[in-house]
Amino acid sequence: MSLLHPRHPHEISFLGVQPYQTMLSGNLTLNDAALEIIDLLLEIPAGFAQCPPHLHTWYELNYVFEGHMQTSFGGSLLDIHAGEFFLIPPGTEHAHTYEPHDPHKGVCLRWKVDRKSEDTPANTFSTYEQLHVLSNWKPGVYADEFGLGQLLMTCFEKAKGSGSSIAALLQIVQVILAITELSPERKRWIETETNSDHALLRKVEIYLNDDQSYEVDVHRLAASLHMSYGHLARKYKKLSGHTIMDRMSQIRLERSLELLRCTDQPIQEIAYITGLSSLSYYSRLFKKKYGMSPKEYRDSGKEKGAVPLPHRI
């Protein structure tokens, strides 16, 4: 029996809770699935005009109760109105545009799911497989003809009464399981560019520009795109002509140019800030790329009154 029942959006009352306050979070194990509820929160982006393109390693469900917003999945902007929702699988590029002076009111639910490491008995129903089917969800906008909004409101009610209790977490699981039952034919729009080669390059670019750590977790990047790292590395090299690590080094060197031009920070500190492991390694990469050392680049700018962009070799 389906968990969702038709319910018109105007029948749903709006809950008065604080925007962006996490109503519940927690972890559950269901058969062979390890489910992490990251957060359930009310979204009212007052004063914000946009959220730039980005991607993440968790699922995100967004439901609009009042007003409207715009979202893109690597393509043109789409209008999402009251009583509509969309689901963002891990590794899917997306961006949002808001009305800063008349923001929409909506709900955001984020979660992750992994398969338990322990072996499960043969012929056991796989909860993981049922939940993991959403990883293949093609981004689109859905009208709520099923009562999903009411289920989300029930989650808020339970969270307000008992916090992150087992009952409240199980209510969230009901929402997620309900989404797995939806027919893909019900979406009114599909982004056909999402799985294109161009979109893959964009996703890698966003991830690398966001990463500030010393060592890029390339395996996490590949996992967010539902690919093995070997396959991703080969495909990226074929499409771009560069390795992922070469592109990461280029991004970090370009960050360092701005710091050399616009600050008086020590060069060793710039190497640290940009995520390059040591001053010697940074200097070696810089000279190979631009034909001069970071110090020579900075000094030439001081002599001329402005730091020129070095010629690439």
Side-chain angles (χ1 to χ4, degrees), residues 2-5 61 85 87 133-134 137 142-148 175-187:
S2 174
L3 295 171
L4 294 177
H5 306 284
L61 171 69
F85 65 94
L87 174 68
V133 72
L134 294 177
W137 182 285
Y142 288 74
D144 183 14
E145 302 170 355
F146 327 99
L148 182 61
V175 172
I176 299 170
L177 289 173
I179 299 170
T180 68
E181 297 182 359
L182 298 183
S183 167
E185 284 76 25
R186 291 187 181 273
K187 68 173 69 68

Side-chain angles (χ1 to χ4, degrees), residues 211-225:
D211 196 293
Q212 302 289 329
S213 59
Y214 286 127
E215 296 183 10
V216 181
D217 190 342
V218 290
H219 295 284
R220 182 181 180 187
L221 167 60
S224 73
L225 299 173

Side-chain angles (χ1 to χ4, degrees), residues 64-306:
V64 174
F65 282 97
E66 294 182 9
H68 77 280
M69 62 177 291
Q70 291 184 312
T71 292
S72 70
F73 304 102
S76 57
L77 284 170
L78 301 169
D79 284 313
I80 299 96
H81 301 280
E84 295 183 330
F85 65 94
F86 56 92
L87 174 68
I88 304 167
T92 300
E93 178 191 343
H94 55 287
H96 309 302
T97 299
Y98 312 117
E99 294 288 340
H101 303 298
D102 186 22
H104 73 281
K105 296 179 181 179
V107 166
C108 179
L109 169 64
R110 302 185 182 102
W111 73 92
K112 298 179 74 171
V113 60
D114 294 300
R115 192 191 295 273
K116 283 172 53 180
S117 57
E118 298 85 356
D119 293 331
T120 55
N123 301 320
T124 299
F125 174 79
S126 176
T127 304
Y128 172 80
E129 293 298 337
Q130 182 176 359
L131 296 174
H132 187 63
V133 72
L134 294 177
S135 66
N136 296 318
W137 182 285
K138 291 185 188 243
V141 179
Y142 288 74
D144 183 14
E145 302 170 355
F146 327 99
L148 182 61
Q150 184 59 53
L151 282 177
L152 289 167
M153 290 297 94
T154 302
C155 293
F156 270 96
E157 293 288 0
K158 286 189 178 293
K160 287 173 68 177
S162 57
S164 297
S165 66
I166 293 296
L169 293 175
L170 287 174
Q171 187 70 36
I172 289 290
V173 174
Q174 186 181 21
V175 172
I176 299 170
L177 289 173
I179 299 170
T180 68
E181 297 182 359
L182 298 183
S183 167
E185 284 76 25
R186 291 187 181 273
K187 68 173 69 68
R188 68 170 170 82
W189 180 89
I190 299 175
E191 173 58 69
T192 56
E193 188 188 21
T194 300
N195 294 321
S196 69
D197 291 341
H198 171 73
L200 176 66
L201 292 174
R202 282 282 296 151
K203 291 173 184 178
V204 173
E205 188 73 8
I206 290 170
Y207 184 95
L208 295 181
N209 274 281
D210 284 346
D211 196 293
Q212 302 289 329
S213 59
Y214 286 127
E215 296 183 10
V216 181
D217 190 342
V218 290
H219 295 284
R220 182 181 180 187
L221 167 60
S224 73
L225 299 173
H226 306 290
M227 304 169 70
S228 70
Y229 173 63
H231 179 61
L232 173 62
R234 289 189 295 271
K235 190 171 184 66
Y236 184 84
K237 179 69 179 293
K238 179 179 179 181
L239 293 173
S240 69
H242 306 284
T243 68
I244 292 175
M245 297 310 297
D246 284 345
R247 178 56 186 147
M248 183 74 260
S249 296
Q250 181 182 350
I251 289 171
R252 291 178 172 180
L253 286 174
E254 289 171 354
R255 288 176 186 162
S256 76
L257 288 177
E258 183 177 0
L259 293 173
L260 289 169
R261 286 197 302 266
C262 303
T263 75
D264 293 324
Q265 291 174 295
I267 294 176
Q268 184 170 355
E269 186 174 332
I270 290 176
Y272 176 83
I273 292 172
T274 53
L276 295 162
S277 58
S278 68
L279 177 59
S280 59
Y281 177 66
Y282 168 51
S283 298
R284 186 166 65 253
L285 280 181
F286 194 98
K287 188 165 188 176
K288 181 179 179 181
K289 180 70 176 178
Y290 300 119
M292 65 180 75
S293 70
K295 185 177 185 304
E296 290 171 335
Y297 172 61
R298 173 174 273 177
D299 289 345
S300 66
K302 290 179 179 179
E303 292 171 2
K304 298 178 182 179

